[in-house]
Amino acid sequence: MSDAKTPEPIQFYFDFSSPYGYIAAHRIDGVARHHGRTVDWRPILLGPIFKLSGGAPLSTHPIRWHYSLRDFHRTCRLHNLPFALPEKFPFAATAASRAFYWIDHTDPSLAREFAKAIYDGAFAKGLEVWTADGVAAIAAAQGLDRQACLAAIEDPHWKDHLRAITDQAAAAGIFGSPFFIVDGEAFWGNDRIPEVDAWLARGGW
Amino acid sequence: MSDAKTPEPIQFYFDFSSPYGYIAAHRIDGVARHHGRTVDWRPILLGPIFKLSGGAPLSTHPIRWHYSLRDFHRTCRLHNLPFALPEKFPFAATAASRAFYWIDHTDPSLAREFAKAIYDGAFAKGLEVWTADGVAAIAAAQGLDRQACLAAIEDPHWKDHLRAITDQAAAAGIFGSPFFIVDGEAFWGNDRIPEVDAWLARGGW
């Protein structure tokens, strides 16, 4: 019998429409693994959260948007990730997020692969991940049943589940994407991943 | 005769009321020096710039402000800097910025020391750096003439100079603090300093 407690997973909140969420999705598992930690992936919808926190999509203001576009491309090149802005941006990630929780309910590992496929579809492959059909096609490519995925997207259970998780995230003070909770400590942004790494290494500072 | 051109200084734009500007002010010269580069320090006023770019002080929204406060303290601890939120926040840095350019006109090196003293006064020592008297007291501590500083703060020449630099910064797409221009490439935020470092090391990527 050991006194060592199993450490809490890192909570990784993200919106599928978030370019920095896409980048973080390719980084956070590696950082966690390096410290013997796991990650709970939690898609949320920033739309209702922005209404509470006064946030706005990065594309709202032309001057900031000009910089953001350049920073997306530059940050992706730095991390050896392809980047192409989706035809529709920002997009409502409702269908993809509901499908995620439907998969996650039975197979969290597959749900993570699905999430990465949605992100890559959105920001690298030009796929229409904002439609139920686009989402179901990506699920099908993961070996899931296309019709069952479409049904889950329309199922009130998964609608309510996504809404509840988004509400809980807002209540916990989460206001952006990506957003990490590490042993109760909040970190906002892909650019805070080095700090997440240091926090895990040192147990805080 | 050599073909080597003297590299351009890094342009460092900041508002004296910006906590992340305070942190960056303690970091950017060291990064630049490591790559044999110099830094042009350029205080600006974010107030008029936010009107153009749709920006807002970090304290505008309670949920974001709660996180920001925690992040200021945490980031300062990481960089071994003291941090105490000024009694007035955000504050108008008009007097400090005009005094900066008055000093910078004849002694850029002293102006940089003055800027660090203003920042330390604001975010570490609880000084009232938003009043002309508070600014002149800091200038006097640097060996400058207190009355001459007060006169410069009211001098239309330095008023116009600060307004012109702020207008030029806005026209160049600068919308936040700290903001760096490295060989034409824009980087926003204290959290982009590692990227500034990498950009200088590699000449871009």
Side-chain angles (χ1 to χ4, degrees), chain B residues 7-22:
Chain B
E8 288 287 308
I10 295 163
Q11 295 167 45
F12 168 37
Y13 290 92
F14 57 94
D15 185 309
F16 279 117
S17 182
S18 158
Y20 295 118
Y22 157 66

Side-chain angles (χ1 to χ4, degrees), chain B:
Chain B
M1 193 175 146
S2 162
D3 285 318
K5 288 192 290 185
T6 303
E8 288 287 308
I10 295 163
Q11 295 167 45
F12 168 37
Y13 290 92
F14 57 94
D15 185 309
F16 279 117
S17 182
S18 158
Y20 295 118
Y22 157 66
I23 300 169
H26 283 279
R27 301 175 70 198
I28 192 61
D29 282 329
V31 169
R33 197 178 303 120
H34 184 71
H35 300 284
R37 303 289 283 263
T38 59
V39 182
D40 277 349
W41 289 44
R42 290 289 169 260
I44 52 174
L45 298 182
L46 283 182
I49 285 179
F50 280 171
K51 283 181 192 160
L52 296 172
S53 65
L58 289 165
S59 54
T60 305
H61 303 289
I63 297 171
R64 291 169 171 259
W65 181 231
H66 177 82
Y67 173 82
S68 295
L69 271 178
R70 197 166 176 94
D71 194 59
F72 298 159
H73 283 278
R74 183 173 67 198
T75 308
C76 282
R77 290 198 307 274
L78 183 64
H79 295 292
N80 296 310
L81 293 169
F83 183 81
L85 194 72
E87 198 179 313
K88 182 172 182 171
F89 185 85
F91 57 82
T94 318
S97 303
R98 289 178 192 160
F100 174 91
Y101 287 112
W102 167 66
I103 304 167
D104 189 59
H105 178 63
T106 51
D107 191 339
S109 173
L110 182 60
R112 182 170 324 194
E113 292 312 304
F114 168 78
K116 286 185 194 165
I118 291 284
Y119 260 142
D120 291 349
F123 294 105
K125 297 178 181 172
L127 302 182
E128 296 195 353
V129 305
W130 46 88
T131 66
D133 280 344
V135 168
I138 288 171
Q142 305 279 316
L144 290 151
D145 184 82
R146 192 178 165 285
Q147 288 302 330
C149 182
L150 287 171
I153 288 168
E154 293 306 318
D155 185 332
H157 176 75
W158 299 114
K159 291 186 184 184
D160 290 348
H161 189 75
L162 173 60
R163 193 178 297 117
I165 287 194
T166 296
D167 288 349
Q168 284 160 17
I174 284 145
F175 57 82
S177 167
F179 209 103
F180 309 97
I181 308 288
V182 182
D183 301 331
E185 187 75 14
F187 295 88
W188 172 39
N190 175 63
D191 42 29
R192 285 294 178 282
I193 289 183
E195 279 78 7
V196 166
D197 190 26
W199 197 267
L200 288 166
R202 305 184 198 177
W205 61 76

Side-chain angles (χ1 to χ4, degrees), chain A residues 57-75:
Chain A
L58 290 166
S59 53
T60 305
H61 302 289
I63 296 170
R64 291 169 171 261
W65 181 232
H66 177 81
Y67 173 82
S68 296
L69 271 178
R70 196 166 177 96
D71 195 57
F72 299 158
H73 283 278
R74 183 173 66 198
T75 308

Side-chain angles (χ1 to χ4, degrees), chain A residues 84-95:
Chain A
L85 194 73
E87 199 178 312
K88 184 173 180 170
F89 185 86
F91 58 84
T94 319

